[in-house]
Amino acid sequence: MSKVKTGMGRRSFIKNVSLAGGGLLIGFNWLACKRAAEESGKEMALEMPEEWFEINGYLKIGDNGVVTIYSPNPEIGQNVKTAMPMLVAEELDVDWSNVIVEQAPLNTDIFSRQIAGGSQSIRQSWEPLRMAGATARQMLLIAAAKEWDVPLSELTVENGVITHSGSHRSIGYGEIAKFAAKVEVPEEVVLKENNNFKIIGTSRKNVDAKKIVTGQPLFGLDVNRNDMLIAMIVQPPAFGLRFKSMDADEARKMPGIKDVFTIDTYPDDMEKEWSDVAAFSKLVVVVGESTWQVMKAKKALKVEWDLKPELTEEIVILEKSPALRDTLGLENSETHESLMANIGPEESEMVRKDGNPEAAFKNAARVIERSYSCPFLAHNCMEPMNFFANVTNGKAELLGPIQTPEFAEKSVSKRLGLDLENIDIQMTRMGGGFGRRLYGNFLVEAAVISNKVGAPVKLVYTREDDMTNGVYRPAYQVTYRAALDGNNNLTAFHVNAGGVGESPLFANRFPAGAVDNYLAESWTIDSQISIGAFRAPRSNFIAGAEQSFLDELAEEMGKDPIQFRLDMLERAGKEPVGENNDYDPARYAAVLELVRDKSGWNTGSTASGRGVAAYYCHNSYVAQVLEMDLEDNQPVIDKVTCVVDCGIVVNPDAAVNMVEGGTIDGIGHALYSELTFKDGVSQQSNFDSYRLIRHREAPKKIDVHFIENGIDPTGLGEPAFPPVQGALANALYRATGKRIYKQPFLPEIKTESREIKT
């Protein structure tokens, strides 16, 4: 067992108690799984206590032993609302069947990182949440020792019951909680050793499961308040346009419509947070009594738009290219593709250089060069953007689905001139996020609208608003070159990567560190189109491209694809090149070795196509082998074998779900999805034109395995998404005989296919 300092005084615990126990929390509670319920097959509700005793900002204990644990981070489908309380309950030593989970509101005095992003929720909270449970347990033990006047060392606790070894007396947490609430917070607590875990590492049901399957209020769109108005926005139809004028007379006369006006979400003089990414700041707003009434009024509006002033002249994006010099200065996907394809060395910035790659390429017996590209992608959360706001009397109550509540709170403070303590942000469960809800412009819009109309308002985006308003995954391109000597050995590796608004390059990731001569270069193209994080940012493209190139390189060198990667990782482990390699070669190799075994790689496959990929991102390692066939020239994915090293797995069933979901998501976006632009207008605005994977297209089987190494947890929500795209591309090559270099893959598949023998 290890001692850790609590790092918190009693004052900071109490400071949160007033918020956590004072009725500001949303009543989205579902009693955690009860053993008795599982045995009987019936739902059994816990008996609510008559009195609660607040131990610290993370939990409170009822007089009957029932424990409420607050889950601090936003729940986006990654199951942290179950997993994070499991960490607290483990160290508290409470029976999970006596636990109630509630979503905590935003409170940065206690919860230091209330963000759903970067696959960091469990990783960043691994020690703090366990420490909160251990601190409460220690306070309960101290209280019992004082009440019984016995040494603390003679007390033990199990499942919420404290026992004295000498007298065999016992007392439940509920009976001693009122005394524990008065105990000073200990400066140090002892955390359990991994082999003593009883809750961590066991599968627990999603605490929101019943509400999800029965359709009970849970998501932002479910919010409903008395006297609440519905607001919707009207935005420019193209990137590069701005509001000019409108005729709203007809719309204002329609039934249920309260007002039509314009807002400027982010005035020019406002200092923005990083999360204040918005395609359009100046919007037309329609406010009414119901969603249907407002939608009809939107269609009755007559709005004029004109070009932004900076777009009325030629735009020079790259010094040596014609750039976006369309008549109206509006962007087209064809122009983006042309620009990316013609980037030269003079437009690139060297990010990393090992050895002498120029000489190695000059003296190479052969040079293999391939380029890969992908389009913009829309996040397309099933629940469109929405938020409830009630701004009155110098205070703001905000409620809805947001990944970055802390930054949104700061934005509202700056935009409305409110003190942070007068802003209350509460979080609902999110119907998808994938990075889109990192950017809280819709929350700020709701606050500005409520402030203007002086009433509670729920802002709702239509699907078309959502898909055409940004924020998007950028369009990317990467070119790889590999130099081979006369003996077919790899002597140099060169990656040149960029995109519209952002480069996908990770210069210090594999195969950096495994090649003597290595060069990484980066570039970007400016754009009016707003971009941002998309599930596994940047990795979501470059991983698949890299793994496709490594597969092709292995074939050119006459090597088995898995063994080729393992040989390079062995070199990176024994004689690493450079000092900034951001991966662990041994952990990387371990997932490849296990996926080779679990997939039966060396025993062959009956599938017409089989491909492998492995990648490191978000502090975790994933290797995947995908097996597929072609039916009527359509890929049918039979099986994906996944091996994941994410350290300790907190909730195994939920972890498997995350890997399965990321795998399906990666396959779907690689095969089908794209967002294109013509004259600044998105050519896809709903699911009839934007292609997502369908149920029948998902893999028939996904076999998930975890490396058990006892390492503290790392990321899991995103790491399975990027590499499967490379495994898919490599499998498609085996099935069709064609290497695919452009996403989406489906249009690139040849009509006639042939099988390539492994």
Side-chain angles (χ1 to χ4, degrees):
M1 302 182 82
S2 57
K3 283 188 176 182
V4 296
K5 289 189 176 295
T6 60
M8 294 183 182
R10 180 163 176 78
R11 182 178 301 276
S12 61
F13 279 117
I14 292 176
K15 188 172 185 179
N16 187 62
V17 162
S18 62
L19 185 62
L24 295 180
L25 291 172
I26 310 160
F28 288 169
N29 311 329
W30 166 238
L31 302 182
C33 61
K34 284 183 64 65
R35 197 173 299 112
E38 294 174 350
E39 293 172 356
S40 66
K42 299 178 181 179
E43 177 189 339
M44 295 183 65
L46 294 177
E47 182 180 345
M48 290 298 97
E50 295 181 4
E51 188 175 5
W52 289 101
F53 302 101
E54 294 149 335
I55 305 300
N56 58 41
Y58 291 89
L59 61 95
K60 60 184 179 182
I61 299 176
D63 55 15
N64 64 347
V66 172
V67 180
T68 292
I69 299 178
Y70 302 108
S71 183
N73 283 23
E75 174 57 64
I76 198 173
Q78 77 280 50
N79 208 43
V80 294
K81 193 174 176 182
T82 304
M84 297 180 91
M86 287 174 66
L87 305 184
V88 179
E90 179 66 70
E91 296 291 348
L92 181 60
D93 255 323
V94 66
D95 190 330
W96 183 250
S97 65
N98 288 329
V99 170
I100 298 172
V101 174
E102 291 193 4
Q103 176 69 59
L106 176 65
N107 184 3
T108 55
D109 289 330
I110 285 293
F111 309 117
S112 60
R113 187 187 185 275
Q114 288 184 270
I115 296 174
S119 296
Q120 296 296 296
S121 291
I122 296 298
R123 179 173 181 260
Q124 296 288 341
S125 300
W126 174 245
E127 186 173 281
L129 288 178
R130 291 172 62 204
M131 187 175 67
T135 301
R137 181 191 67 215
Q138 186 72 358
M139 292 166 70
L140 289 156
L141 286 167
I142 292 171
K146 287 182 178 180
E147 285 300 302
W148 288 337
D149 192 23
V150 297
L152 187 63
S153 60
E154 295 181 2
L155 299 182
T156 58
V157 62
E158 185 174 5
N159 290 334
V161 178
I162 299 171
T163 301
H164 178 230
S165 59
S167 64
H168 302 292
R169 283 180 293 180
S170 63
I171 189 170
Y173 277 174
E175 299 171 83
I176 199 67
K178 62 181 178 181
F179 301 106
K182 301 174 183 178
V183 170
E184 289 295 322
V185 177
E187 292 186 3
E188 288 186 339
V189 294
V190 176
L191 299 182
K192 291 182 179 181
E193 297 293 342
N194 296 356
N195 58 3
N196 291 326
F197 290 156
K198 298 178 181 178
I199 295 176
I200 294 173
T202 64
S203 292
R204 306 290 165 156
K205 294 180 181 177
N206 187 318
V207 296
D208 281 336
K210 183 180 179 182
K211 288 201 169 188
I212 293 171
V213 300
T214 59
Q216 296 179 50
L218 188 63
F219 299 93
L221 283 176
D222 296 326
V223 173
N224 189 23
R225 297 286 184 84
N226 292 333
D227 302 322
M228 182 183 78
L229 298 176
I230 298 295
M232 288 188 171
I233 61 167
V234 181
Q235 65 200 30
F239 288 88
L241 296 184
R242 65 174 185 175
F243 174 79
K244 180 180 180 181
S245 64
M246 71 171 171
D247 179 356
D249 290 344
E250 183 180 347
R252 287 192 176 99
K253 296 175 184 177
M254 297 180 72
I257 300 305
K258 298 296 184 181
D259 204 354
V260 181
F261 51 85
T262 61
I263 63 169
D264 190 351
T265 312
Y266 299 110
D268 292 339
D269 59 352
M270 176 183 164
E271 180 185 357
K272 291 185 177 182
E273 295 293 324
W274 69 267
S275 56
D276 289 325
V277 177
F280 309 107
S281 180
K282 296 181 180 179
L283 304 165
V284 177
V285 178
V286 182
V287 179
E289 295 176 352
S290 73
T291 304
W292 180 243
Q293 290 171 332
V294 174
M295 290 178 72
K296 290 178 66 177
K298 277 182 62 175
K299 295 178 180 179
L301 285 173
K302 299 173 183 177
V303 186
E304 286 190 75
W305 316 91
D306 63 6
L307 277 172
K308 294 180 179 179
E310 63 268 27
L311 297 186
T312 57
E313 300 177 0
E314 291 181 338
I315 309 167
V316 179
I317 289 182
L318 294 177
E319 188 177 326
K320 298 186 68 174
S321 77
L324 305 182
R325 297 184 177 182
D326 297 342
T327 305
L328 297 177
L330 299 175
E331 300 179 43
N332 294 288
S333 291
E334 290 182 359
T335 310
H336 292 155
E337 292 178 11
S338 176
L339 287 170
M340 290 194 296
N342 290 288
I343 292 291
E346 60 273 18
E347 286 93 22
S348 302
E349 175 187 1
M350 185 180 70
V351 182
R352 173 169 170 161
K353 181 178 178 180
D354 297 330
N356 190 343
E358 294 86 356
F361 277 103
K362 182 178 179 180
N363 297 323
R366 279 196 302 156
V367 174
I368 311 300
E369 180 174 332
R370 302 290 185 266
S371 293
Y372 304 81
S373 65
C374 70
F376 284 92
L377 292 179
H379 294 85
N380 282 325
C381 313
M382 289 307 296
E383 177 193 24
M385 300 306 105
N386 68 91
F387 227 84
F388 170 83
N390 187 16
V391 181
T392 55
N393 301 321
K395 295 184 178 181
E397 178 193 4
L398 300 162
L399 170 61
I402 181 71
Q403 292 180 244
T404 51
E406 179 181 352
F407 296 97
E409 180 185 56
K410 294 176 181 177
S411 298
V412 172
S413 173
K414 293 173 183 177
R415 178 62 178 83
L416 299 183
L418 300 176
D419 293 334
L420 290 176
E421 56 264 30
N422 290 327
I423 301 172
D424 169 33
I425 295 184
Q426 303 171 32
M427 292 164 274
T428 63
R429 190 180 183 93
M430 287 174 258
F434 314 109
R436 173 60 185 94
R437 288 185 164 100
L438 291 170
Y439 309 102
N441 60 293
F442 53 95
L443 181 155
V444 181
E445 290 162 7
V448 172
I449 294 167
S450 176
N451 187 55
K452 186 174 181 67
V453 300
V457 166
K458 182 166 70 175
L459 172 67
V460 179
Y461 278 27
T462 65
R463 177 63 59 192
E464 288 79 7
D465 294 334
D466 213 8
M467 200 177 295
T468 61
N469 194 293
V471 181
Y472 304 117
R473 195 284 298 272
Y476 292 126
Q477 177 162 310
V478 60
T479 297
Y480 291 101
R481 291 196 303 150
L484 304 180
D485 65 15
N487 295 319
N488 232 20
N489 297 314
L490 178 64
T491 60
F493 194 92
H494 176 204
V495 52
N496 180 285
V500 179
E502 176 187 78
S503 171
L505 180 68
F506 291 96
N508 298 323
R509 290 188 182 171
F510 182 77
V515 186
D516 288 327
N517 304 291
Y518 174 84
L519 178 63
E521 297 173 322
S522 181
W523 49 269
T524 58
I525 293 175
D526 292 335
S527 175
Q528 291 287 318
I529 300 170
S530 54
I531 62 163
F534 190 98
R535 189 174 194 173
R538 297 185 290 156
S539 298
N540 55 47
F541 161 68
I542 204 164
E546 169 202 285
Q547 293 297 305
S548 295
F549 183 67
L550 290 178
D551 201 76
E552 189 163 357
L553 189 55
E555 184 180 46
E556 292 284 348
M557 297 170 69
K559 293 187 176 183
D560 172 80
I562 292 182
Q563 191 59 49
F564 171 59
R565 290 167 171 84
L566 289 173
D567 291 343
M568 294 184 73
L569 288 165
E570 183 179 17
R571 163 68 195 281
K574 292 182 177 179
E575 301 176 83
V577 180
E579 299 178 353
N580 298 318
N581 307 319
D582 62 1
Y583 60 93
D584 182 334
R587 293 180 68 184
Y588 213 137
V591 294
L592 272 165
E593 290 168 345
L594 189 56
V595 85
R596 178 173 59 185
D597 175 53
K598 295 297 184 180
S599 67
W601 180 265
N602 290 332
T603 61
S605 172
T606 59
S608 61
R610 183 171 65 163
V612 66
Y615 193 67
Y616 162 81
C617 69
H618 298 87
N619 313 104
S620 293
Y621 302 79
V622 176
Q624 291 157 318
V625 169
L626 183 146
E627 300 175 60
M628 58 157 290
D629 291 292
L630 286 175
E631 295 181 7
D632 298 325
N633 296 317
Q634 297 289 318
V636 177
I637 300 170
D638 301 307
K639 181 182 178 182
V640 181
T641 304
C642 305
V643 172
V644 182
D645 178 357
C646 60
I648 295 170
V649 177
V650 176
N651 188 344
D653 281 355
V656 169
N657 290 341
M658 289 300 296
V659 176
E660 291 173 339
T663 299
I664 294 169
D665 203 16
I667 291 170
H669 281 92
L671 275 175
Y672 308 113
S673 302
E674 67 175 333
L675 192 76
T676 58
F677 295 90
K678 183 176 181 181
D679 295 332
V681 179
S682 167
Q683 299 302 286
Q684 297 79 27
S685 61
N686 211 317
F687 293 134
D688 61 332
S689 53
Y690 189 97
R691 183 78 158 82
L692 291 174
I693 192 169
R694 293 164 180 148
H695 286 285
R696 67 176 183 272
E697 295 161 342
K700 295 178 181 178
K701 182 179 181 181
I702 301 177
D703 189 17
V704 181
H705 304 271
F706 293 97
I707 299 284
E708 297 181 5
N709 51 23
I711 296 173
D712 288 354
T714 52
L716 188 57
E718 294 162 280
F721 181 96
V724 74
Q725 301 179 52
L728 173 62
N730 296 333
L732 282 167
Y733 167 65
R734 297 292 166 183
T736 66
K738 178 184 179 181
R739 293 282 181 185
I740 298 177
Y741 303 103
K742 182 179 180 181
Q743 290 186 7
F745 293 161
L746 194 61
E748 301 295 309
I749 298 174
K750 280 184 177 180
T751 302
E752 295 183 5
S753 63
R754 64 181 178 85
E755 183 177 352
I756 295 182
K757 301 297 183 183
T758 303

